[in-house]
Amino acid sequence: MGLKARVHVYPKPGVLDPQGRAIGQALGHLGFTGVAEVRQGKLIELSLSETDPAKARAQADEMCRRLLANTVIENYAIEIVPQGGR
Amino acid sequence: MGLKARVHVYPKPGVLDPQGRAIGQALGHLGFTGVAEVRQGKLIELSLSETDPAKARAQADEMCRRLLANTVIENYAIEIVPQGGR
């Protein structure tokens, strides 16, 4: 049974995040107070056939650099979990 | 110092995920093999002034139900972390 790579992609601190700002404003209109900042990112879950966690991480890292994240404006983090895990 | 709510929003299992499928195809074109399935979701990070983790979670849960997630087709999960935490 393979592994699952969970990739979090975020706008870098200081990079304008219009989606996050729109969510923050909408929350304000709905009456939610006490929300200082909102950032929106992407979450990508990959089901891999690779069973070695170190190799799965290296594979996911290459995918991030080549496709999933724009490293000029985005940071990413990779989490390797068992298939079927949360 | 307040708390940070990290909200993960995913398409429910069985719901068509065209973004995830497009990523899967693009990875194939780049030569990555062994990727069985790709699902793309959203990641929303909220900086809250609330300092009680239970109240922060309840607040984030209400935000999800009212704005952040479409519970007909999406599932969500909330993680409460200290401000500045990863």
Side-chain angles (χ1 to χ4, degrees):
Chain A
M1 195 152 171
L3 294 165
K4 199 184 266 186
R6 196 171 291 152
V7 175
H8 300 196
V9 181
Y10 271 109
K12 286 189 179 177
V15 172
L16 194 68
D17 176 11
Q19 281 185 300
R21 189 158 300 185
I23 292 172
Q25 287 177 355
L27 288 172
H29 291 313
L30 286 172
F32 289 104
T33 55
V35 183
E37 208 201 342
V38 184
R39 304 287 282 172
Q40 173 165 357
K42 284 180 291 184
L43 191 56
I44 301 160
E45 247 187 33
L46 306 149
S47 303
L48 303 174
S49 57
E50 182 61 61
T51 51
D52 176 25
K55 283 186 194 160
R57 181 177 293 274
Q59 205 177 42
D61 192 73
E62 200 191 334
M63 290 177 189
C64 285
R65 283 182 285 109
R66 291 187 58 194
L67 180 74
L68 305 177
N70 176 352
T71 53
V72 176
I73 56 167
E74 293 171 327
N75 284 332
Y76 63 87
I78 298 165
E79 212 184 330
I80 302 291
V81 293
Q83 202 85 247
R86 251 234 50 89
Chain B
M1 194 149 172
L3 293 165
K4 198 184 270 186
R6 195 171 291 152
V7 175
H8 299 196
V9 181
Y10 271 108
K12 286 190 179 175
V15 171
L16 193 67
D17 175 10
Q19 281 185 300
R21 190 156 302 185
I23 291 172
Q25 286 177 355
L27 288 172
H29 290 315
L30 286 173
F32 289 104
T33 55
V35 183
E37 208 201 344
V38 183
R39 304 288 282 172
Q40 172 163 356
K42 284 180 290 186
L43 191 56
I44 301 159
E45 247 187 33
L46 306 149
S47 303
L48 304 173
S49 58
E50 181 62 60
T51 53
D52 176 25
K55 283 187 194 159
R57 181 177 293 275
Q59 206 178 38
D61 192 73
E62 200 191 334
M63 290 176 190
C64 285
R65 280 182 286 109
R66 291 187 58 195
L67 180 72
L68 304 179
N70 176 352
T71 53
V72 177
I73 55 166
E74 293 170 327
N75 284 332
Y76 63 86
I78 298 165
E79 211 184 330
I80 303 290
V81 292
Q83 202 85 247
R86 253 235 48 91

